């Protein structure tokens, strides 16, 4: 049980964390700060926070738990702003999608408070961001990756593990660099590709008309393209080196497919598609049911059927199956 | 009301068509053929077809409605096989994802029966293909694109429109070439990109491990990568020129994003992401609710929120909202 959560950033991620803590009876009072006065007032009106703080520093004052839930590029300034009133035993968390840059900012700005910081990346989100979509159940069934440092107080890491676990998350630990390499591959590059696919369509005279013809396959494929430009510009730049390295791997794989098409090599093309299809199906089975796979993953076990089946090879959830709780990125 | 459906290809698409016709009371008897005896026996056991035919030709004998539901590359052989017993007034349909090649095959092989053929592409499918997943509701709410030829009997086109409409589909007409250009952009290229993204991951030593860390954003993005290799190899080769042209547009858009990352140009990167994000959100709103957008499209209207929101920019359906009936490609 925490006495007071200091919440810096009152958006979907921070607001959902506050609501989840309250629902779990794990916090007595939430003091919030947002750089947008309108957002702050809304957070108060919605009962996500109990007290509006006029600054990040004052939101932290008296808190035994602090969550920094701002775009990753804003973490450095936030750490700088709060360090003077951060209580020595308070647990400090973030929710950033990149970890090496946030860790570097923490090392630079937190000083003696560094051992209190347990960096965290919840693999959660919603298409509908903003405080009005905050959801006490957002983190249930999601993975949360903790990337504690050598300097991190092991007791704080244990507290962070228990806390995220109490909100229903599956907690894992990784090195910050290993985290960034993995998420460049399974999150950041896919976002970049989806942005490019949308822009390629929009750049063509008939693109908007074609978009009206799109089916659910495209809807699912392009969903991440609707992400927030500020947050995702930050992420792609913060993890630039890893994302560009992944882009090169992607280009190689694409060139192999294109080569088979250029040469009209049916067998080679089918082999390349088969490799992707089997890989997707096999790995989808291992995704946890809550949020990260669920109906989709289960259905996937049956994908890539016998060649006699004339299905068009689409992809979505089975009819009538409710989408698992979304917690995605 | 049709007396007899001759069904060539007993997979998800063909089987669902037969079940939908039966449920709507639009057919008295279904005679089916599959090149796989096992599939044919299953279709009979499941009540999808009433009579097993030993050949495509015999499945067509006596039919006043014929559906060719085989991979697009198999259409030419199928047309050749059935033309001698196709009744002069029978309505002939297909479900192929490409149209110019199917139309060319029809011109080459149907002879005097060409006016009976109304080419169709239902934007429908399932991750779980095969006859055992056939679903009488598969086509409800989906778009079906008809591409009649100058030679097509207008009465047959009207019959096809009414028939697909009676199964709950939204019917549109396009030229075959215009269809193929549009679906190269909104379906075939996205499949190619998803295949490449999976293969890029699988080619790296840590790729399989990283796949275990993927969240719902990747799950949705990669869903179409689980498609059937035979069907999709056919489609990509049949529509090769258009897909390769779309690939060049994609490369240009990707290069712009990469350039902004290389130059660490935050403003340019955010502008490019914002363009994609707004385009996705705006167009998702126009997708019909049944199958082709639904919850996702509605939720999307709120995507790309104010920059103050610290959400991680994920993407999926809202919590608890049932996925609309899948009919996707």
């Amino acid at each position: 049980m925490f006495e007071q959560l200091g919440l810096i950033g009152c958006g979907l991620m921070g607001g959902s964390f506050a609501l989840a803590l309250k629902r779990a009876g794990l916090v007595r009072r939430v003091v919030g700060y947002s750089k947008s006065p309108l957002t702050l007032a809304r957070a108060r009106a919605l009962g996500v926070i109990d007290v509006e703080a006029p600054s990040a520093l004052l939101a932290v004052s008296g808190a035994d738990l602090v969550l920094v839930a701002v775009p990753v590029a804003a973490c450095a300034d936030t750490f700088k702003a709060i360090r003077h009133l951060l209580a020595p035993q308070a647990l400090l968390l973030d929710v950033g999608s990149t970890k090496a840059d946030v860790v570097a900012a923490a090392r630079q700005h937190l000083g003696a408070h560094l051992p209190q910081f347990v960096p965290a990346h919840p693999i959660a989100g919603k298409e509908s961001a903003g405080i009005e979509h905050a959801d006490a159940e957002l983190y249930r069934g999601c993975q949360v990756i903790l990337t504690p440092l050598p300097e991190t107080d092991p007791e704080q890491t244990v507290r962070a593990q228990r806390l995220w676990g109490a909100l229903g998350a599956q907690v894992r630990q990784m090195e910050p660099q290993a985290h960034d390499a993995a998420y460049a591959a399974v999150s950041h590059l896919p976002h970049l590709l989806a942005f490019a696919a949308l822009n390629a369509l929009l750049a063509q005279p008939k693109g908007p008309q074609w978009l009206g013809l799109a089916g659910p396959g495209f809807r699912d494929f392009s969903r991440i393209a609707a992400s927030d430009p500020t947050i995702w510009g930050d992420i792609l730049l913060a993890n630039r080196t890893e994302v560009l390295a992944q882009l090169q791997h992607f280009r190689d794989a694409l060139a192999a497919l294109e080569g088979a098409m250029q040469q009209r090599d049916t067998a080679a093309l089918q082999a390349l598609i088969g490799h992707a299809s089997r890989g997707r199906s096999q790995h989808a089975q291992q995704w946890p049911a809550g949020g990260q796979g669920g109906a989709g993953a289960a259905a996937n076990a049956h994908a890539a059927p016998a060649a006699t089946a004339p299905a068009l090879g689409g992809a979505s959830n089975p009819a009538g199956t409710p989408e698992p709780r979304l917690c995605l990125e």
Side-chain angles (χ1 to χ4, degrees), chain A:
Chain A
M1 177 71 165
F2 292 92
E3 280 299 316
Q4 184 172 316
L5 165 65
L7 179 65
I8 321 293
C10 297
L12 174 69
M13 302 297 286
S16 297
F17 184 84
L19 289 178
L21 275 187
K22 286 182 170 196
R23 179 170 295 182
L26 288 172
V27 70
R28 235 180 270 283
R29 192 168 55 252
V30 178
V31 180
Y33 169 72
S34 167
K35 69 172 186 175
S36 154
L38 187 64
T39 298
L40 192 61
R42 261 195 222 146
R44 175 77 179 79
L46 291 166
V48 174
I49 65 170
D50 305 304
V51 179
E52 301 177 33
S55 69
L57 182 65
L58 289 171
V60 160
S61 175
D64 51 351
L65 174 63
V66 173
L67 182 74
V68 173
V70 301
V72 287
C75 283
D77 282 347
T78 304
F79 291 146
K80 219 185 303 181
I82 64 174
R83 65 182 162 191
H84 295 300
L85 284 184
L86 191 61
Q89 292 310 315
L91 171 61
L92 176 62
L93 302 167
D94 79 320
V95 292
S97 293
T98 52
K99 297 271 63 89
D101 65 318
V102 173
V103 161
R107 279 190 198 286
Q108 197 180 344
H109 297 295
L110 284 179
H113 294 293
L114 187 61
Q116 300 171 238
F117 180 46
V118 185
H121 175 201
I123 318 302
K126 263 191 192 181
E127 245 176 324
S128 318
I131 187 67
E132 53 275 24
H133 299 286
D135 176 356
E137 297 295 317
L138 183 68
Y139 300 111
R140 187 165 306 283
C142 294
Q143 293 195 74
V144 172
I145 314 294
L146 302 183
T147 64
L149 314 177
E151 297 90 337
T152 308
D153 179 352
E155 284 190 28
Q156 296 287 20
T157 302
V158 169
R159 292 175 83 197
Q161 277 174 327
R162 287 193 186 141
L163 177 54
W164 284 110
L167 305 189
Q170 299 182 13
V171 184
R172 293 199 194 203
Q173 283 193 31
M174 293 176 77
E175 300 283 328
Q177 285 73 15
H179 166 280
D180 287 2
Y183 284 93
V186 297
S187 174
H188 309 166
L189 178 70
H191 277 77
L192 188 70
L193 301 178
F195 299 143
L198 255 292
N199 285 348
L201 264 162
L202 296 168
Q204 298 174 69
K206 290 190 178 161
Q209 177 191 329
W210 290 343
L211 276 164
L213 296 166
F218 185 81
R219 180 194 68 199
D220 286 355
F221 171 84
S222 67
R223 203 167 259 156
I224 50 179
S227 296
D228 181 82
T230 305
I231 291 165
W232 277 91
D234 274 11
I235 291 169
L236 293 177
L237 288 178
N239 204 18
R240 191 177 149 274
T241 310
E242 295 288 357
V243 176
L244 293 175
Q246 286 304 317
L247 182 53
Q248 197 46 55
H249 287 288
F250 171 78
R251 283 212 172 93
D252 294 344
L254 186 59
L257 285 154
E258 187 183 13
M261 286 177 68
Q262 297 275 17
Q263 293 159 40
R264 292 188 172 82
D265 186 340
T266 308
L269 187 57
Q270 288 183 357
L272 290 166
I273 297 173
H275 188 62
S277 179
R278 284 188 304 275
R280 169 58 168 76
S281 300
Q282 281 161 15
H283 287 283
Q285 286 179 276
Q286 75 184 12
W287 292 332
Q292 290 212 56
N300 248 353
H302 304 286
T308 48
L312 293 177
S316 187
N317 291 320
T321 305
E323 180 80 354
R325 174 153 309 282
L326 78 162
C327 49
L328 66 136
E329 167 171 300

